[in-house]
Amino acid sequence: MMKRFNDWLGDKLAYWLSTMGCFYLISIAILATLFFQRPEGVQAWLMFWVTVFFQGVALPVLGYVSRKAGEKQEQILNETHDAVMDELALVKEELAIAKEEREMLKKLLEELHKRSPDKR
């Protein structure tokens, strides 16, 4: 039960944290912190912008891009699966026809053996 809940929660969090809405929300929240406390000095500003960019901005965008790539990959896999299943149906149909033809040839061969004189 707990595993199912964790899977569900992880799924929802992964989805919502990888949306562009989350990106904008985090960007605004991070920039809003500058109204309360500004970094002092070049090193502090550099650390602030690196932290903001990589943790606050880039991660939701990377999640969004990753999710979109996954959707595209799933679409390609579904198209490939459908094409393979269509080909399989054709192969099965051709196999059934070949089996029918083989049975007809067997019957024809049996008839020919019955009609031809035995050469023993």
Side-chain angles (χ1 to χ4, degrees):
M1 168 104 170
M2 192 64 177
K3 182 181 179 339
R4 230 173 61 175
F5 173 75
N6 288 340
D7 288 345
W8 175 83
L9 183 62
D11 213 25
K12 297 300 179 197
L13 284 173
Y15 175 78
W16 289 109
L17 290 174
S18 66
T19 61
M20 289 306 289
C22 183
F23 160 78
Y24 292 121
L25 185 67
I26 290 174
S27 297
I28 291 168
I30 289 170
L31 293 175
T33 63
L34 292 176
F35 290 115
F36 303 108
Q37 181 179 358
R38 290 194 179 114
E40 308 241 348
V42 175
Q43 183 180 8
W45 273 103
L46 186 62
M47 288 175 56
F48 174 79
W49 285 111
V50 167
T51 302
V52 165
F53 181 75
F54 284 109
Q55 291 180 347
V57 177
L59 290 178
V61 171
L62 290 173
Y64 176 78
V65 170
S66 173
R67 196 181 69 220
K68 287 295 182 186
E71 289 171 0
K72 180 70 174 170
Q73 186 67 28
E74 183 178 0
Q75 177 188 4
I76 290 170
L77 287 173
N78 286 337
E79 289 172 3
T80 303
H81 175 266
D82 293 344
V84 167
M85 293 309 289
D86 289 344
E87 287 294 319
L88 180 61
L90 287 174
V91 168
K92 285 181 177 181
E93 189 176 307
E94 289 177 8
L95 180 60
I97 292 170
K99 284 180 179 180
E100 287 176 15
E101 289 177 354
R102 187 173 129 221
E103 289 301 317
M104 287 174 36
L105 287 173
K106 273 184 173 181
K107 289 178 184 176
L108 182 61
L109 189 59
E110 286 175 8
E111 282 183 33
L112 286 174
H113 279 295
K114 288 179 185 176
R115 288 185 187 170
S116 66
D118 216 6
K119 296 185 179 181
R120 287 185 207 184

